[in-house]
Amino acid sequence: MSYNFLFCSSGRRNSLLEIFKNEFGRQGEIIACDFSEYSPAMHTAHKRYTVPSINDERYIATILGICMKNNVKGLTTLIDPEIELLSKNQRIFQENGILVFGPSHETAKVCYDKYSTYQHLEKNGIPCVKSYLPSEIRYKIEEFISAGRPLFAKPRCGSGSVGIKKIAPHEALEAELYTDEGYVIQEYMSGEEYDADIYIDMISEEMVSVFCKKKLSMKIGGADKTISVKDERLISLVDQVLLAFDFAGPIDIDFFYQDGEYLVSEINPRFGGGYLHAYGCGVSFPKLILNNMMGKSNPRELFQYEENMVMMMYDSYLIKRLDEINRVVKG
Amino acid sequence: MSYNFLFCSSGRRNSLLEIFKNEFGRQGEIIACDFSEYSPAMHTAHKRYTVPSINDERYIATILGICMKNNVKGLTTLIDPEIELLSKNQRIFQENGILVFGPSHETAKVCYDKYSTYQHLEKNGIPCVKSYLPSEIRYKIEEFISAGRPLFAKPRCGSGSVGIKKIAPHEALEAELYTDEGYVIQEYMSGEEYDADIYIDMISEEMVSVFCKKKLSMKIGGADKTISVKDERLISLVDQVLLAFDFAGPIDIDFFYQDGEYLVSEINPRFGGGYLHAYGCGVSFPKLILNNMMGKSNPRELFQYEENMVMMMYDSYLIKRLDEINRVVKG
């Protein structure tokens, strides 16, 4: 029996796909698809396909076709805008024996929109970074000016730090220039940033693995230097978050540590860009995924890593002939 | 005899240092220094040191000390602001048997300032991207508005695409908000972007190797997808540029192809971030550097690579214990 796994929207995640190839060994092939045949990660997979845009009505049928042709038993996506789409179509995949490693449709919708995420966290009494719609700023204006902290306008549905704009405290009303549909306004956080890579078992629905890290340095798109930490307080906050959502598979939560407490900043129900750090410290999500694909649940084993391990990112490269790239098959 | 080589300001250039380690083999060790012990590239070198800031008066003495202690025969820097400093102190290194792989002091000064680069190119009749000081815009305003092209305000001494701001054509006068000391204003180029990695032999002072590529996709800091090309017209433009400057060692020139002609856009007299592509196609600058360190000049061998080879970059990672990082020796 072969447990083949499909990465949708593989992009530049070569290092993650290499990890899967190592961990799956002979137990399954790693297949990748992307809109562009110039996805470098696709070229490190055992098999690769180009697919229509995720907004194309043929998308799900195409992915399903790739799964059937390649005996795929599990799949996940590496980009935020696709999470909701896959979750919405979970049943079609399940009926064909394919596990979708991603959240419920409801959770996917809430997490994709930063303002909905905020509302949901607030409703559940979970400490988080305060967020406002641009139109709400007017009613809070004196508070912001007297606090003297800058604000941030963030795309409601953006990834990473793309499109974030800073607003000086005395110009807080400028926030109204942004549309409620497109942006949320958040207070500037000066505290340290943390991040947790979490695996929610597909069978037991429990958190079975977690890796916590502090961010040491940021680049566009995420932290490029992190250090492993262990903190029970962070885990109890994670536990609160997990109760309020319906996650499954790998997730990534960002936190600020501000004025002596952890605040949830963002939730990505997919493999975080910094998961590489967890793997490098012995926390193997691919092994957990493989077990789940085999119908086995995983035991809860938190904190199975060393503290004070530092990860540093750098640019690597892959070279392919143009004719090889052009030969990538349409899914 | 051991031909040890030092990288100053090694930063995140792990892939480049790995290439040097491969190419030097047993003929020499690769040593790295950086202001920060969190430079991931430093941790891939055979030996590593932290050093003061390049603005610290002890900097050159520290570098020289590292060279003497480690029998270093050649060095280069990987960041723009250090090129001029090393070139100014070339003699001290040479007197101690150490080759500085970098331009003359005069050329270093001209290349570090985008406006000086522009003036120098113009003076030498070399086709290039027109550049203005913010205070000159007033006298060109009608031209800009009628051309209907946006302008770009670029830091005069910035690296990569950091700090670049777009100005709409009808708001061209906004360019005056920038200081002449800090910015140049360039016309927006819509054409394709090209790049050449060039090696100028330290002994013959000739261009002995060149690798040309077209940029397929850009990220902050440089192109993350490129394709190899060969074009004699690009080489004759490179020849013109080389006559007007006093380069030595590895350099990197950026071009636009606009309205049927190549225009020089930027000159970096150091290893470009995209040199990895050249190496992956068999164009080994480390071999040329090693020959020069041995006192041998290199034969001119242009176009020793295949066209239509595509390079795609992605994030890789390195993990170290904090105590190992803290144990990096001060140079």
Side-chain angles (χ1 to χ4, degrees), chain A residues 216-217 225 312, chain B residues 9-12 32-43 48-53 59 325 328-329:
Chain A
L216 299 175
S217 134
K225 295 189 176 81
M312 297 167 278
Chain B
S9 304
S10 55
R12 293 169 32 123
C33 62
D34 199 284
F35 178 67
S36 167
E37 64 272 33
Y38 287 89
S39 151
M42 166 190 287
H43 294 278
R48 64 207 61 83
Y49 296 91
T50 55
V51 290
S53 148
Y59 187 77
I325 289 175
V328 174
V329 175

Side-chain angles (χ1 to χ4, degrees), chain A residues 12 14-15 19 38 40 43 216 219-220 224-225 227 276-277 279-280 306 308-322 325, chain B residues 12 14-15 19 38 40 43 216 219-220 224-225 227 276-277 279-280 306 308-322 325:
Chain A
R12 293 169 30 123
N14 298 53
S15 299
I19 286 171
Y38 287 89
H43 294 278
L216 299 175
K219 294 249 302 177
I220 297 282
D224 82 326
K225 295 189 176 81
I227 183 165
L276 307 172
H277 191 173
Y279 180 74
E306 271 185 64
N308 291 322
M309 299 293 283
V310 175
M311 183 201 58
M312 297 167 278
M313 281 192 172
Y314 62 88
D315 288 325
S316 195
Y317 64 108
L318 185 77
I319 291 179
K320 287 278 158 193
R321 286 171 194 284
L322 182 61
I325 290 176
Chain B
R12 293 169 32 123
N14 298 53
S15 299
I19 286 171
Y38 287 89
H43 294 278
L216 299 175
K219 293 250 301 178
I220 297 282
D224 82 326
K225 295 190 175 82
I227 184 165
L276 306 171
H277 191 174
Y279 180 74
E306 272 186 63
N308 291 323
M309 299 294 283
V310 175
M311 182 200 59
M312 297 167 279
M313 281 192 174
Y314 62 89
D315 288 325
S316 194
Y317 65 108
L318 185 78
I319 291 179
K320 287 279 158 193
R321 286 171 193 284
L322 182 61
I325 289 175

Side-chain angles (χ1 to χ4, degrees), chain B residues 38-234:
Chain B
Y38 287 89
S39 151
M42 166 190 287
H43 294 278
T44 194
H46 293 113
K47 284 184 189 159
R48 64 207 61 83
Y49 296 91
T50 55
V51 290
S53 148
I54 58 169
N55 302 314
D56 190 299
E57 53 182 23
R58 295 164 302 167
Y59 187 77
I60 289 294
T62 307
I63 297 297
L64 191 60
I66 292 171
C67 289
M68 303 315 286
K69 213 179 308 175
N70 292 285
N71 196 23
V72 164
K73 296 286 171 221
L75 63 81
T76 200
T77 177
L78 297 175
I79 60 167
D80 292 326
E82 190 178 358
I83 299 171
E84 191 188 329
L85 178 67
L86 290 183
S87 67
K88 200 168 120 187
N89 291 282
Q90 238 162 25
R91 248 187 67 189
I92 310 172
F93 290 106
Q94 270 159 6
E95 286 167 1
N96 287 283
I98 303 149
L99 272 178
V100 176
F101 289 79
S104 73
H105 187 214
E106 193 50 37
T107 285
K109 276 194 291 188
V110 171
C111 291
Y112 187 49
D113 175 351
K114 289 191 180 70
Y115 189 67
S116 305
T117 308
Y118 164 70
Q119 286 182 306
H120 194 74
L121 290 167
E122 274 282 295
K123 203 178 69 189
N124 286 275
I126 297 167
C128 59
V129 177
K130 295 273 171 293
S131 302
Y132 307 89
L133 292 179
S135 63
E136 295 175 311
I137 294 300
R138 171 170 301 270
Y139 309 104
K140 292 275 176 182
I141 194 75
E142 279 168 31
E143 212 174 292
F144 290 133
I145 292 174
S146 72
R149 280 189 188 167
L151 298 176
F152 275 100
K154 285 187 181 181
R156 278 180 74 159
C157 301
S159 280
S161 42
V162 177
I164 292 185
K165 278 151 198 163
K166 198 172 172 177
I167 302 168
H170 64 280
E171 294 172 333
L173 268 182
E174 271 193 18
E176 290 196 323
L177 296 174
Y178 297 95
T179 60
D180 280 4
E181 290 70 35
Y183 284 86
V184 287
I185 308 296
Q186 292 185 341
E187 288 178 50
Y188 173 76
M189 296 283 120
S190 57
E192 290 176 322
E193 292 181 64
Y194 289 79
D195 176 290
D197 295 296
I198 297 153
Y199 188 77
I200 310 296
D201 195 86
M202 302 289 286
I203 296 166
S204 69
E205 297 178 10
E206 294 279 326
M207 166 166 73
V208 292
S209 185
V210 64
F211 180 83
C212 301
K213 52 192 185 282
K214 188 164 93 175
K215 300 178 186 181
L216 299 175
S217 135
M218 301 291 289
K219 293 250 301 178
I220 297 282
D224 82 326
K225 295 190 175 82
T226 47
I227 184 165
S228 59
V229 298
K230 293 181 186 178
D231 188 339
E232 288 291 352
R233 286 170 64 205
L234 201 47

Side-chain angles (χ1 to χ4, degrees), chain A residues 111-136:
Chain A
C111 291
Y112 187 50
D113 175 351
K114 289 190 181 70
Y115 189 67
S116 304
T117 308
Y118 164 71
Q119 285 182 306
H120 194 74
L121 290 167
E122 274 282 295
K123 202 177 69 188
N124 285 276
I126 297 167
C128 59
V129 178
K130 295 272 170 295
S131 302
Y132 307 89
L133 292 178
S135 63
E136 294 175 311

Side-chain angles (χ1 to χ4, degrees), chain A residues 99-163:
Chain A
L99 272 178
V100 176
F101 289 79
S104 73
H105 187 214
E106 193 50 38
T107 286
K109 276 194 290 188
V110 170
C111 291
Y112 187 50
D113 175 351
K114 289 190 181 70
Y115 189 67
S116 304
T117 308
Y118 164 71
Q119 285 182 306
H120 194 74
L121 290 167
E122 274 282 295
K123 202 177 69 188
N124 285 276
I126 297 167
C128 59
V129 178
K130 295 272 170 295
S131 302
Y132 307 89
L133 292 178
S135 63
E136 294 175 311
I137 294 299
R138 170 171 302 270
Y139 309 105
K140 291 276 177 181
I141 193 75
E142 279 168 31
E143 211 174 292
F144 290 132
I145 291 174
S146 72
R149 280 189 188 166
L151 298 176
F152 275 100
K154 286 187 181 181
R156 277 179 74 159
C157 301
S159 280
S161 42
V162 177

